Amino acid sequence: MARPSVTAAAGMVSVAVAVIAVAASASAQTTRAPDSLDGAPPEVASVPFAVGEHLRYKVKYGIFSVGEAHMTIAGIDTIHGMPTYVAEWRIKGSVLGFGIDETFTSWIDTEGLFARRFVKDQGERYREYEFFPAEHRVQRIDHDTTWALPDPEPLDDISIVYFTRTLALDVGQSYTFNRFYKDEGNPIVLNVLGRDRREVGAGEFNTVVVRPIIQTDGLFSEGGQAEIHFSDDERRMVVYMKVDGPFLPVNLTMHLEEILHAEPEPRAQTPGDSQDSG
């Protein structure tokens, strides 16, 4: 049996991230500070994460431990004059003798929770994208190419994870969305299969089990058995992920090992702020 290439093996985790969360933009609730208030903090959505959250995962390929993954909200940055969360996903390890050291970074609008910039750093493969929602276009900076956005509030491989964490995943429901920044990745179907209890290094969690399907050949094509287990609580963390597509000789799994910071820090109320509706 031919061994998977380093690109295919390394890309399994990143593709898994890319398709699991397009569903959530409509569910994010927003609390606004008044426009006239000098020195007001950036407008931020009511979300189950905050700057400083750092989730560490063990990555396995079949029965073998092959490395670690880290999912981090590293800070706040300004893109096109708008405040954004800097969300970083890093994977480091070795699969069947191939070294992996990849970083994916998304700059997520703090109010609308859509992507404004996205970088894939996969060693020899580096790609950088700028999103211009008002102009309905995306520009690949490193390649000087431009194309139309399928949706004015685009989602990339990382931002869609955080969107999903804001979504109430109703068991038995299927959701279809067309917001991935590359049109060939649309539509994405999100099937909520049920609930489970998952034991990982970080503890035991009740989870909501989701099966994503992307309408192209590959890891999440129809007929595959991918699963993502989100914690069934207000945090909606990715506790466990399994990729078991029809083209893989063994499956890839990710197991939450450590929660370095998981509770959102409360934002101070300012005059004019509305009360959260829950």
Side-chain angles (χ1 to χ4, degrees):
M1 178 178 294
R3 297 197 304 183
S5 66
V6 62
T7 300
M12 293 169 189
V13 173
S14 58
V15 172
V17 171
V19 301
I20 65 176
V22 176
S25 61
S27 66
Q29 300 176 0
T30 302
T31 301
R32 288 172 171 262
D35 294 337
S36 60
L37 184 63
D38 292 337
E43 296 176 350
V44 296
S46 299
V47 293
F49 51 84
V51 172
E53 180 186 86
H54 185 169
L55 307 177
R56 183 174 65 87
Y57 298 84
K58 178 183 293 184
V59 180
K60 292 185 177 182
Y61 195 63
I63 64 172
F64 303 102
S65 295
V66 298
E68 286 190 345
H70 297 260
M71 189 174 177
T72 306
I73 301 288
I76 299 287
D77 198 2
T78 301
I79 303 295
H80 305 153
M82 302 301 293
T84 61
Y85 293 110
V86 182
E88 184 177 280
W89 183 269
R90 187 175 186 188
I91 309 148
K92 189 171 183 179
S94 178
V95 177
L96 300 178
F98 295 107
I100 301 170
D101 191 351
E102 303 185 347
T103 301
F104 303 82
T105 308
S106 179
W107 285 257
I108 305 169
D109 189 277
T110 59
E111 179 184 3
L113 295 182
F114 58 86
R116 291 190 175 274
R117 176 180 292 169
F118 179 48
V119 171
K120 291 183 177 184
D121 186 354
Q122 297 174 285
E124 296 180 357
R125 300 182 66 196
Y126 178 89
R127 285 153 288 179
E128 181 176 353
Y129 304 89
E130 288 271 359
F131 303 110
F132 300 88
E135 302 173 26
H136 293 259
R137 70 181 177 92
V138 55
Q139 182 176 358
R140 182 173 165 182
I141 304 299
D142 62 295
H143 201 260
D144 196 23
T145 56
T146 301
W147 62 88
L149 283 171
D151 188 277
E153 294 189 341
L155 299 171
D156 58 44
D157 304 53
I158 302 301
S159 60
I160 55 180
V161 175
Y162 292 92
F163 272 118
T164 295
R165 291 176 64 183
T166 71
L167 181 66
L169 298 170
D170 296 324
V171 173
Q173 295 296 312
S174 294
Y175 307 91
T176 302
F177 302 88
N178 292 280
R179 293 187 53 194
F180 195 60
Y181 71 102
K182 291 183 178 180
D183 196 43
E184 60 268 26
N186 293 309
I188 291 173
V189 179
L190 194 66
N191 294 323
V192 186
L193 302 183
R195 288 182 166 85
D196 194 9
R197 186 161 181 84
R198 176 65 55 174
E199 183 174 1
V200 292
E204 289 192 47
F205 297 85
N206 293 322
T207 63
V208 180
V209 183
V210 177
R211 174 164 295 158
I213 301 172
I214 189 169
Q215 303 303 312
T216 57
D217 292 337
L219 299 176
F220 295 98
S221 60
E222 191 168 1
Q225 301 297 315
E227 287 184 3
I228 298 95
H229 294 227
F230 294 96
S231 62
D232 192 10
D233 57 22
E234 70 281 358
R235 295 172 294 178
R236 279 288 191 258
M237 297 179 297
V238 177
V239 171
Y240 172 84
M241 183 185 301
K242 178 181 73 172
V243 178
D244 190 20
F247 303 107
L248 296 181
V250 292
N251 64 51
L252 179 77
T253 57
M254 292 174 50
H255 310 251
L256 181 61
E257 285 293 300
E258 187 176 15
I259 304 167
L260 298 179
H261 180 74
E263 297 298 332
E265 297 177 1
R267 187 168 71 92
Q269 290 288 316
T270 58
D273 272 0
S274 61
Q275 295 296 316
D276 290 343
S277 59

mmCIF file with all atom_site columns, all heavy atoms in Angstrom, residues 41-57:
data_model
loop_
_atom_site.group_PDB
_atom_site.id
_atom_site.type_symbol
_atom_site.label_atom_id
_atom_site.label_alt_id
_atom_site.label_comp_id
_atom_site.label_asym_id
_atom_site.label_entity_id
_atom_site.label_seq_id
_atom_site.pdbx_PDB_ins_code
_atom_site.Cartn_x
_atom_site.Cartn_y
_atom_site.Cartn_z
_atom_site.occupancy
_atom_site.B_iso_or_equiv
_atom_site.pdbx_formal_charge
_atom_site.auth_seq_id
_atom_site.auth_comp_id
_atom_site.auth_asym_id
_atom_site.auth_atom_id
_atom_site.pdbx_PDB_model_num
ATOM 1   N N   . PRO A 1 41 ? -13.960 49.798 24.533 1.00 0.00 ? 41 PRO A N   1
ATOM 2   C CA  . PRO A 1 41 ? -13.272 48.595 24.058 1.00 0.00 ? 41 PRO A CA  1
ATOM 3   C C   . PRO A 1 41 ? -13.825 48.192 22.707 1.00 0.00 ? 41 PRO A C   1
ATOM 4   O O   . PRO A 1 41 ? -14.911 48.596 22.312 1.00 0.00 ? 41 PRO A O   1
ATOM 5   C CB  . PRO A 1 41 ? -13.623 47.553 25.132 1.00 0.00 ? 41 PRO A CB  1
ATOM 6   C CG  . PRO A 1 41 ? -14.898 48.042 25.734 1.00 0.00 ? 41 PRO A CG  1
ATOM 7   C CD  . PRO A 1 41 ? -14.823 49.530 25.689 1.00 0.00 ? 41 PRO A CD  1
ATOM 8   N N   . PRO A 1 42 ? -13.086 47.377 21.949 1.00 0.00 ? 42 PRO A N   1
ATOM 9   C CA  . PRO A 1 42 ? -13.593 46.918 20.655 1.00 0.00 ? 42 PRO A CA  1
ATOM 10  C C   . PRO A 1 42 ? -14.927 46.211 20.812 1.00 0.00 ? 42 PRO A C   1
ATOM 11  O O   . PRO A 1 42 ? -15.179 45.555 21.816 1.00 0.00 ? 42 PRO A O   1
ATOM 12  C CB  . PRO A 1 42 ? -12.499 45.940 20.178 1.00 0.00 ? 42 PRO A CB  1
ATOM 13  C CG  . PRO A 1 42 ? -11.287 46.310 20.949 1.00 0.00 ? 42 PRO A CG  1
ATOM 14  C CD  . PRO A 1 42 ? -11.777 46.815 22.270 1.00 0.00 ? 42 PRO A CD  1
ATOM 15  N N   . GLU A 1 43 ? -15.785 46.378 19.804 1.00 0.00 ? 43 GLU A N   1
ATOM 16  C CA  . GLU A 1 43 ? -17.056 45.667 19.813 1.00 0.00 ? 43 GLU A CA  1
ATOM 17  C C   . GLU A 1 43 ? -16.772 44.174 19.647 1.00 0.00 ? 43 GLU A C   1
ATOM 18  O O   . GLU A 1 43 ? -16.069 43.759 18.730 1.00 0.00 ? 43 GLU A O   1
ATOM 19  C CB  . GLU A 1 43 ? -17.946 46.175 18.689 1.00 0.00 ? 43 GLU A CB  1
ATOM 20  C CG  . GLU A 1 43 ? -18.343 47.636 18.866 1.00 0.00 ? 43 GLU A CG  1
ATOM 21  C CD  . GLU A 1 43 ? -19.151 48.163 17.706 1.00 0.00 ? 43 GLU A CD  1
ATOM 22  O OE1 . GLU A 1 43 ? -19.240 47.462 16.691 1.00 0.00 ? 43 GLU A OE1 1
ATOM 23  O OE2 . GLU A 1 43 ? -19.686 49.268 17.818 1.00 0.00 ? 43 GLU A OE2 1
ATOM 24  N N   . VAL A 1 44 ? -17.311 43.375 20.541 1.00 0.00 ? 44 VAL A N   1
ATOM 25  C CA  . VAL A 1 44 ? -17.043 41.945 20.496 1.00 0.00 ? 44 VAL A CA  1
ATOM 26  C C   . VAL A 1 44 ? -18.339 41.168 20.607 1.00 0.00 ? 44 VAL A C   1
ATOM 27  O O   . VAL A 1 44 ? -19.284 41.595 21.272 1.00 0.00 ? 44 VAL A O   1
ATOM 28  C CB  . VAL A 1 44 ? -16.076 41.497 21.623 1.00 0.00 ? 44 VAL A CB  1
ATOM 29  C CG1 . VAL A 1 44 ? -14.715 42.135 21.452 1.00 0.00 ? 44 VAL A CG1 1
ATOM 30  C CG2 . VAL A 1 44 ? -16.646 41.845 22.988 1.00 0.00 ? 44 VAL A CG2 1
ATOM 31  N N   . ALA A 1 45 ? -18.389 40.039 19.945 1.00 0.00 ? 45 ALA A N   1
ATOM 32  C CA  . ALA A 1 45 ? -19.555 39.181 20.038 1.00 0.00 ? 45 ALA A CA  1
ATOM 33  C C   . ALA A 1 45 ? -19.526 38.420 21.360 1.00 0.00 ? 45 ALA A C   1
ATOM 34  O O   . ALA A 1 45 ? -18.473 38.214 21.958 1.00 0.00 ? 45 ALA A O   1
ATOM 35  C CB  . ALA A 1 45 ? -19.579 38.206 18.869 1.00 0.00 ? 45 ALA A CB  1
ATOM 36  N N   . SER A 1 46 ? -20.701 38.034 21.823 1.00 0.00 ? 46 SER A N   1
ATOM 37  C CA  . SER A 1 46 ? -20.784 37.190 23.018 1.00 0.00 ? 46 SER A CA  1
ATOM 38  C C   . SER A 1 46 ? -20.408 35.772 22.608 1.00 0.00 ? 46 SER A C   1
ATOM 39  O O   . SER A 1 46 ? -21.178 35.097 21.931 1.00 0.00 ? 46 SER A O   1
ATOM 40  C CB  . SER A 1 46 ? -22.200 37.230 23.589 1.00 0.00 ? 46 SER A CB  1
ATOM 41  O OG  . SER A 1 46 ? -22.536 38.547 23.962 1.00 0.00 ? 46 SER A OG  1
ATOM 42  N N   . VAL A 1 47 ? -19.219 35.354 22.987 1.00 0.00 ? 47 VAL A N   1
ATOM 43  C CA  . VAL A 1 47 ? -18.666 34.094 22.504 1.00 0.00 ? 47 VAL A CA  1
ATOM 44  C C   . VAL A 1 47 ? -18.107 33.281 23.665 1.00 0.00 ? 47 VAL A C   1
ATOM 45  O O   . VAL A 1 47 ? -17.795 33.834 24.721 1.00 0.00 ? 47 VAL A O   1
ATOM 46  C CB  . VAL A 1 47 ? -17.559 34.335 21.455 1.00 0.00 ? 47 VAL A CB  1
ATOM 47  C CG1 . VAL A 1 47 ? -18.138 34.943 20.190 1.00 0.00 ? 47 VAL A CG1 1
ATOM 48  C CG2 . VAL A 1 47 ? -16.461 35.226 22.023 1.00 0.00 ? 47 VAL A CG2 1
ATOM 49  N N   . PRO A 1 48 ? -17.934 31.963 23.489 1.00 0.00 ? 48 PRO A N   1
ATOM 50  C CA  . PRO A 1 48 ? -17.454 31.108 24.581 1.00 0.00 ? 48 PRO A CA  1
ATOM 51  C C   . PRO A 1 48 ? -15.932 31.003 24.641 1.00 0.00 ? 48 PRO A C   1
ATOM 52  O O   . PRO A 1 48 ? -15.404 30.016 25.120 1.00 0.00 ? 48 PRO A O   1
ATOM 53  C CB  . PRO A 1 48 ? -18.085 29.753 24.244 1.00 0.00 ? 48 PRO A CB  1
ATOM 54  C CG  . PRO A 1 48 ? -18.123 29.738 22.758 1.00 0.00 ? 48 PRO A CG  1
ATOM 55  C CD  . PRO A 1 48 ? -18.417 31.163 22.353 1.00 0.00 ? 48 PRO A CD  1
ATOM 56  N N   . PHE A 1 49 ? -15.221 31.999 24.156 1.00 0.00 ? 49 PHE A N   1
ATOM 57  C CA  . PHE A 1 49 ? -13.761 31.984 24.197 1.00 0.00 ? 49 PHE A CA  1
ATOM 58  C C   . PHE A 1 49 ? -13.270 33.408 24.413 1.00 0.00 ? 49 PHE A C   1
ATOM 59  O O   . PHE A 1 49 ? -14.039 34.373 24.287 1.00 0.00 ? 49 PHE A O   1
ATOM 60  C CB  . PHE A 1 49 ? -13.168 31.399 22.907 1.00 0.00 ? 49 PHE A CB  1
ATOM 61  C CG  . PHE A 1 49 ? -13.696 32.024 21.647 1.00 0.00 ? 49 PHE A CG  1
ATOM 62  C CD1 . PHE A 1 49 ? -13.162 33.199 21.153 1.00 0.00 ? 49 PHE A CD1 1
ATOM 63  C CD2 . PHE A 1 49 ? -14.725 31.434 20.944 1.00 0.00 ? 49 PHE A CD2 1
ATOM 64  C CE1 . PHE A 1 49 ? -13.648 33.786 19.994 1.00 0.00 ? 49 PHE A CE1 1
ATOM 65  C CE2 . PHE A 1 49 ? -15.229 31.994 19.779 1.00 0.00 ? 49 PHE A CE2 1
ATOM 66  C CZ  . PHE A 1 49 ? -14.690 33.178 19.303 1.00 0.00 ? 49 PHE A CZ  1
ATOM 67  N N   . ALA A 1 50 ? -11.991 33.536 24.752 1.00 0.00 ? 50 ALA A N   1
ATOM 68  C CA  . ALA A 1 50 ? -11.411 34.850 25.023 1.00 0.00 ? 50 ALA A CA  1
ATOM 69  C C   . ALA A 1 50 ? -9.916  34.811 24.730 1.00 0.00 ? 50 ALA A C   1
ATOM 70  O O   . ALA A 1 50 ? -9.316  33.732 24.589 1.00 0.00 ? 50 ALA A O   1
ATOM 71  C CB  . ALA A 1 50 ? -11.654 35.258 26.472 1.00 0.00 ? 50 ALA A CB  1
ATOM 72  N N   . VAL A 1 51 ? -9.332  35.991 24.639 1.00 0.00 ? 51 VAL A N   1
ATOM 73  C CA  . VAL A 1 51 ? -7.886  36.082 24.465 1.00 0.00 ? 51 VAL A CA  1
ATOM 74  C C   . VAL A 1 51 ? -7.197  35.342 25.602 1.00 0.00 ? 51 VAL A C   1
ATOM 75  O O   . VAL A 1 51 ? -7.546  35.488 26.772 1.00 0.00 ? 51 VAL A O   1
ATOM 76  C CB  . VAL A 1 51 ? -7.439  37.558 24.432 1.00 0.00 ? 51 VAL A CB  1
ATOM 77  C CG1 . VAL A 1 51 ? -5.919  37.655 24.439 1.00 0.00 ? 51 VAL A CG1 1
ATOM 78  C CG2 . VAL A 1 51 ? -8.013  38.256 23.207 1.00 0.00 ? 51 VAL A CG2 1
ATOM 79  N N   . GLY A 1 52 ? -6.234  34.514 25.261 1.00 0.00 ? 52 GLY A N   1
ATOM 80  C CA  . GLY A 1 52 ? -5.518  33.721 26.255 1.00 0.00 ? 52 GLY A CA  1
ATOM 81  C C   . GLY A 1 52 ? -5.932  32.271 26.287 1.00 0.00 ? 52 GLY A C   1
ATOM 82  O O   . GLY A 1 52 ? -5.213  31.437 26.852 1.00 0.00 ? 52 GLY A O   1
ATOM 83  N N   . GLU A 1 53 ? -7.058  31.928 25.678 1.00 0.00 ? 53 GLU A N   1
ATOM 84  C CA  . GLU A 1 53 ? -7.449  30.515 25.635 1.00 0.00 ? 53 GLU A CA  1
ATOM 85  C C   . GLU A 1 53 ? -6.417  29.725 24.840 1.00 0.00 ? 53 GLU A C   1
ATOM 86  O O   . GLU A 1 53 ? -6.011  30.125 23.754 1.00 0.00 ? 53 GLU A O   1
ATOM 87  C CB  . GLU A 1 53 ? -8.822  30.358 24.994 1.00 0.00 ? 53 GLU A CB  1
ATOM 88  C CG  . GLU A 1 53 ? -9.255  28.901 24.944 1.00 0.00 ? 53 GLU A CG  1
ATOM 89  C CD  . GLU A 1 53 ? -10.561 28.712 24.176 1.00 0.00 ? 53 GLU A CD  1
ATOM 90  O OE1 . GLU A 1 53 ? -10.510 28.575 22.944 1.00 0.00 ? 53 GLU A OE1 1
ATOM 91  O OE2 . GLU A 1 53 ? -11.612 28.718 24.818 1.00 0.00 ? 53 GLU A OE2 1
ATOM 92  N N   . HIS A 1 54 ? -6.017  28.590 25.394 1.00 0.00 ? 54 HIS A N   1
ATOM 93  C CA  . HIS A 1 54 ? -4.998  27.752 24.752 1.00 0.00 ? 54 HIS A CA  1
ATOM 94  C C   . HIS A 1 54 ? -5.366  26.296 25.010 1.00 0.00 ? 54 HIS A C   1
ATOM 95  O O   . HIS A 1 54 ? -5.335  25.835 26.152 1.00 0.00 ? 54 HIS A O   1
ATOM 96  C CB  . HIS A 1 54 ? -3.613  28.073 25.321 1.00 0.00 ? 54 HIS A CB  1
ATOM 97  C CG  . HIS A 1 54 ? -2.495  27.347 24.653 1.00 0.00 ? 54 HIS A CG  1
ATOM 98  N ND1 . HIS A 1 54 ? -1.160  27.673 24.880 1.00 0.00 ? 54 HIS A ND1 1
ATOM 99  C CD2 . HIS A 1 54 ? -2.474  26.321 23.768 1.00 0.00 ? 54 HIS A CD2 1
ATOM 100 C CE1 . HIS A 1 54 ? -0.389  26.863 24.172 1.00 0.00 ? 54 HIS A CE1 1
ATOM 101 N NE2 . HIS A 1 54 ? -1.177  26.022 23.500 1.00 0.00 ? 54 HIS A NE2 1
ATOM 102 N N   . LEU A 1 55 ? -5.735  25.581 23.955 1.00 0.00 ? 55 LEU A N   1
ATOM 103 C CA  . LEU A 1 55 ? -6.116  24.177 24.045 1.00 0.00 ? 55 LEU A CA  1
ATOM 104 C C   . LEU A 1 55 ? -5.037  23.327 23.381 1.00 0.00 ? 55 LEU A C   1
ATOM 105 O O   . LEU A 1 55 ? -4.652  23.585 22.247 1.00 0.00 ? 55 LEU A O   1
ATOM 106 C CB  . LEU A 1 55 ? -7.468  23.939 23.364 1.00 0.00 ? 55 LEU A CB  1
ATOM 107 C CG  . LEU A 1 55 ? -8.611  24.841 23.825 1.00 0.00 ? 55 LEU A CG  1
ATOM 108 C CD1 . LEU A 1 55 ? -9.871  24.555 23.020 1.00 0.00 ? 55 LEU A CD1 1
ATOM 109 C CD2 . LEU A 1 55 ? -8.878  24.700 25.317 1.00 0.00 ? 55 LEU A CD2 1
ATOM 110 N N   . ARG A 1 56 ? -4.558  22.322 24.118 1.00 0.00 ? 56 ARG A N   1
ATOM 111 C CA  . ARG A 1 56 ? -3.489  21.451 23.600 1.00 0.00 ? 56 ARG A CA  1
ATOM 112 C C   . ARG A 1 56 ? -4.051  20.059 23.331 1.00 0.00 ? 56 ARG A C   1
ATOM 113 O O   . ARG A 1 56 ? -4.767  19.499 24.154 1.00 0.00 ? 56 ARG A O   1
ATOM 114 C CB  . ARG A 1 56 ? -2.326  21.364 24.600 1.00 0.00 ? 56 ARG A CB  1
ATOM 115 C CG  . ARG A 1 56 ? -1.142  20.532 24.100 1.00 0.00 ? 56 ARG A CG  1
ATOM 116 C CD  . ARG A 1 56 ? 0.031   20.613 25.065 1.00 0.00 ? 56 ARG A CD  1
ATOM 117 N NE  . ARG A 1 56 ? -0.278  20.005 26.350 1.00 0.00 ? 56 ARG A NE  1
ATOM 118 C CZ  . ARG A 1 56 ? -0.123  18.700 26.624 1.00 0.00 ? 56 ARG A CZ  1
ATOM 119 N NH1 . ARG A 1 56 ? 0.328   17.865 25.684 1.00 0.00 ? 56 ARG A NH1 1
ATOM 120 N NH2 . ARG A 1 56 ? -0.393  18.223 27.825 1.00 0.00 ? 56 ARG A NH2 1
ATOM 121 N N   . TYR A 1 57 ? -3.678  19.483 22.177 1.00 0.00 ? 57 TYR A N   1
ATOM 122 C CA  . TYR A 1 57 ? -4.193  18.190 21.746 1.00 0.00 ? 57 TYR A CA  1
ATOM 123 C C   . TYR A 1 57 ? -3.069  17.187 21.494 1.00 0.00 ? 57 TYR A C   1
ATOM 124 O O   . TYR A 1 57 ? -1.978  17.561 21.032 1.00 0.00 ? 57 TYR A O   1
ATOM 125 C CB  . TYR A 1 57 ? -4.987  18.328 20.439 1.00 0.00 ? 57 TYR A CB  1
ATOM 126 C CG  . TYR A 1 57 ? -6.197  19.203 20.560 1.00 0.00 ? 57 TYR A CG  1
ATOM 127 C CD1 . TYR A 1 57 ? -6.092  20.580 20.430 1.00 0.00 ? 57 TYR A CD1 1
ATOM 128 C CD2 . TYR A 1 57 ? -7.456  18.663 20.808 1.00 0.00 ? 57 TYR A CD2 1
ATOM 129 C CE1 . TYR A 1 57 ? -7.197  21.399 20.543 1.00 0.00 ? 57 TYR A CE1 1
ATOM 130 C CE2 . TYR A 1 57 ? -8.577  19.467 20.923 1.00 0.00 ? 57 TYR A CE2 1
ATOM 131 C CZ  . TYR A 1 57 ? -8.435  20.843 20.793 1.00 0.00 ? 57 TYR A CZ  1
ATOM 132 O OH  . TYR A 1 57 ? -9.542  21.648 20.904 1.00 0.00 ? 57 TYR A OH  1
#
